[in-house]
Amino acid sequence: MHEHTMSAETAGTEQIPGGPEAERPGRKRRPGALTGAATAALVLAGTGAVVAAGSVLPAPESARTIPAAVAAVPAGESVGVCPGPARLLEGTEAGTDPQFSPVSATAATSVTAAVLGASGVLPASRLSQLDGKTAADIAGDPGQPPAEGTRQELLAGTVASRSVDQMTVLSADALANQQASAAGAMKFSATDGDLQGSAAANCQQPSNDQWLAGASTTVGRASVLLLTNASSTPATVSLELFGGGGQIQAPGSRGLLVAPGTTRSVVLAGLAPGEEQLSVRVRSAGGPVAAAIQQSVLRGLTPGGVDFIAPGAAPAVRQVMTGVDIQDPAGISALTGKSGYEDAGPALHVTVPGAADAVVEVKLYGRDGQKPLPSGGVITAKAGAVTEISLAGIPAGHYTVSAESDVSFVASTRISRGLQEDQPADVAWAASGVRLGSQHVVPVPRGGSRQLVFGALGTRASISYSAITADGKVRAPATADIAGGTTATIAVPDKADDADVVGYVVSASGDAAYGAVLVQQDGRNDVATLAFQPAAAGQETVPVTISY
């Protein structure tokens, strides 16, 4: 394996007022209705006799099976919902020590985004507030799309670390019947207050079914589920909760209404208190929603970190998380042995939604290859529950975590920074990601130490990465050849040719490869990680069955 370095609130109470249903006017009975009904009965009886007598005849044309037609579905708008700043729960009491005031004077939140175009044409795109008000125009209507066969030289529209004070929405129109390649990321940072640390989250595509793993509702841990409906259709959300002891039946977890253009906050401790490990499945009917969990830790008066838990991959027999940073194992052992610090070390959370236990094999791939887990790496995860697998004892470094099983499961990996008791620490959750393909847009938040982390599972993978700069240029690509079963780290420079780097276009070939952005801060324990998002989809075809 080679390392490459580049130079140069309380539970939501918002309710949707249900509009009155339109009543259908009563129909007046026509004269002779009863007579008509009797006549119809006689006709039906006679028809039955005819059908019985003629059952040897060929089936009527209307009863024949017709193959489903395939219909082209135009590419839709690309939408990503970016969480707003991390906020304390309402009613939080002021700290007694001025060093640990709940209110931060240094908190800052920004959004960085990029939209790809080709042949001198960018898709119409913008960063908006949730109420639809434009926060930043990225590109206007391009008019006529480029002709087929035109040279596809890439260019980009960018949002470079724009300060925000609320949730925002990144949207880009389809161009030439292809969904726009666009992605954004939010970064929150604070050097004081109860929520000090760094947190980052991708601008998430809304969905009707998603999983979030890594929440905790024990004393000192605050988990707030944020449900955002950026569509024009009301959404009815139902939550399925899984804890260490199994699935949790919680009153108030079903039928949560989220109006268009609003966010509803749900304090998870109100649904499942005292859970050390908690996973949430979010399903919505009607409009799709974007879901994220604001998770923070406070050990007494000492801040233990803040993060936004993002949805990971859907249940599958293999889950992969990269960008996992592990500290010195001796320091982790000493810290986690202290009361209140049991969750201050790295760990893998496995949630099995089905009825059968899962035998899970866990592998960690580092710079020099696979590292064995002290526990042996094979565990049994209980059906319908969350199982925590400690990753303590692994040498310090950057890793890719691969978990495989005989049944489907979801997974997420906890990353921790800070080894000193009574000193501020930070936490992040690496969500399971997608296998890399062609032309992923990867935003890189500004500030601190930023690194692209790639993991290759099989024999060998080749990675191509082109810097996107704030002036709208996509720079010449660089390549990294990654040996199978290893993890490679590539440092991100502040600038490329005197222009700020805001992201990358990443493509992969060869065996299965995965990627993430790891964000840290020199001289501090801050840590955040962003899994690469899926590449844009083009026009699709779906089978359509017409029946009555």
Side-chain angles (χ1 to χ4, degrees):
M1 151 50 216
H2 304 283
E3 181 169 334
H4 304 262
T5 302
M6 296 172 52
S7 61
E9 326 280 273
T10 53
T13 57
E14 294 180 333
Q15 300 292 333
I16 300 177
E21 295 183 358
E23 296 183 1
R24 181 175 297 177
R27 296 178 179 175
K28 295 182 179 180
R29 180 176 294 171
R30 299 191 309 273
L34 292 175
T35 304
T39 304
L42 291 175
V43 172
L44 288 173
T47 303
V50 172
V51 171
S55 58
V56 294
L57 298 176
E61 190 73 19
S62 60
R64 294 178 181 175
T65 301
I66 301 174
V70 175
V73 180
E77 182 185 40
S78 172
V79 176
V81 178
C82 319
R87 302 187 189 279
L88 291 166
L89 293 175
E90 291 182 8
T92 300
E93 297 180 1
T96 56
D97 188 328
Q99 275 190 301
F100 302 109
S101 169
V103 181
S104 171
T106 61
T109 306
S110 62
V111 170
T112 297
V115 179
L116 289 189
S119 306
V121 179
L122 282 170
S125 47
R126 67 216 62 85
L127 183 70
S128 306
Q129 296 176 2
L130 198 55
D131 60 7
K133 182 179 179 181
T134 300
D137 278 315
I138 300 174
D141 187 348
Q144 190 69 22
E148 292 186 14
T150 305
R151 184 183 176 189
Q152 298 294 298
E153 184 176 350
L154 293 178
L155 72 160
T158 65
V159 175
S161 192
R162 183 180 181 89
S163 294
V164 297
D165 59 2
Q166 59 183 290
M167 284 195 169
T168 50
V169 180
L170 173 68
S171 56
D173 298 344
L175 183 62
N177 210 22
Q178 294 290 318
Q179 190 177 44
S181 293
M186 179 278 297
K187 179 185 176 183
F188 167 87
S189 63
T191 59
D192 67 327
D194 288 350
L195 297 181
Q196 64 180 283
S198 290
N202 288 308
C203 299
Q204 198 72 34
Q205 179 179 356
S207 171
N208 292 106
D209 193 355
Q210 50 205 304
W211 287 81
L212 302 99
S216 176
T217 59
T218 56
V219 175
R221 282 73 178 160
S223 294
V224 182
L225 174 64
L226 307 172
L227 303 171
T228 302
N229 182 1
S231 76
S232 59
T233 303
T236 302
V237 177
S238 293
L239 310 178
E240 295 178 19
L241 308 172
F242 298 82
Q247 190 166 357
I248 301 166
Q249 302 300 329
S253 62
R254 303 297 176 101
L256 303 175
L257 299 179
V258 186
T262 67
T263 294
R264 181 164 184 167
S265 301
V266 180
V267 180
L268 293 177
L271 300 178
E275 291 291 335
E276 295 181 356
Q277 302 100 29
L278 183 65
S279 292
V280 183
R281 183 183 188 183
V282 178
R283 292 196 289 178
S284 67
V289 298
I293 296 175
Q294 180 190 307
Q295 174 83 21
S296 59
V297 179
L298 190 65
R299 297 183 174 93
L301 295 176
T302 306
V306 60
D307 191 36
F308 283 92
I309 299 174
V317 295
R318 181 169 75 175
Q319 302 287 3
V320 181
M321 296 131 281
T322 192
V324 176
D325 178 62
I326 294 182
Q327 302 179 97
D328 172 62
I332 291 174
S333 178
L335 182 64
T336 55
K338 300 179 184 299
S339 177
Y341 287 83
E342 295 83 2
D343 60 349
L348 171 67
H349 280 197
V350 171
T351 306
V352 182
D357 293 350
V359 178
V360 183
E361 182 178 15
V362 182
K363 297 179 180 179
L364 269 71
Y365 300 108
R367 175 179 177 178
D368 302 319
Q370 185 178 346
K371 302 296 181 183
L373 270 71
S375 62
V378 178
I379 59 96
T380 298
K382 184 180 176 182
V386 183
T387 300
E388 179 172 296
I389 305 167
S390 174
L391 302 181
I394 304 298
H398 296 158
Y399 289 90
T400 298
V401 179
S402 173
E404 296 188 49
S405 177
D406 52 343
V407 299
S408 294
F409 63 99
V410 296
S412 186
T413 300
R414 183 174 63 223
I415 304 169
S416 59
R417 294 297 300 176
L419 297 175
Q420 300 299 317
E421 186 180 9
D422 299 330
Q423 288 190 8
D426 202 7
V427 64
W429 285 89
S432 52
V434 297
R435 177 174 175 171
L436 298 184
S438 176
Q439 219 169 82
H440 297 259
V441 179
V442 180
V444 178
R446 180 183 295 176
S449 170
R450 307 164 300 171
Q451 301 170 89
L452 303 179
V453 184
F454 296 101
L457 302 189
T459 54
R460 186 169 293 276
S462 179
I463 307 294
S464 168
Y465 53 100
S466 305
I468 302 172
T469 49
D471 57 3
K473 294 181 179 179
V474 179
R475 307 290 170 165
T479 58
D481 193 34
I482 305 175
T486 66
T487 295
T489 301
I490 300 171
V492 176
D494 290 335
K495 296 179 180 294
D497 297 333
D498 296 327
D500 290 341
V501 174
V502 298
Y504 285 87
V505 180
V506 176
S507 298
S509 60
D511 218 324
Y514 298 79
V517 178
L518 184 63
V519 180
Q520 296 176 300
Q521 185 72 45
D522 293 338
R524 292 184 54 82
N525 290 323
D526 293 18
V527 64
T529 184
L530 297 164
F532 288 6
Q533 297 294 287
Q539 185 185 42
E540 298 181 0
T541 58
V542 296
V544 177
T545 303
I546 301 175
S547 61
Y548 61 91

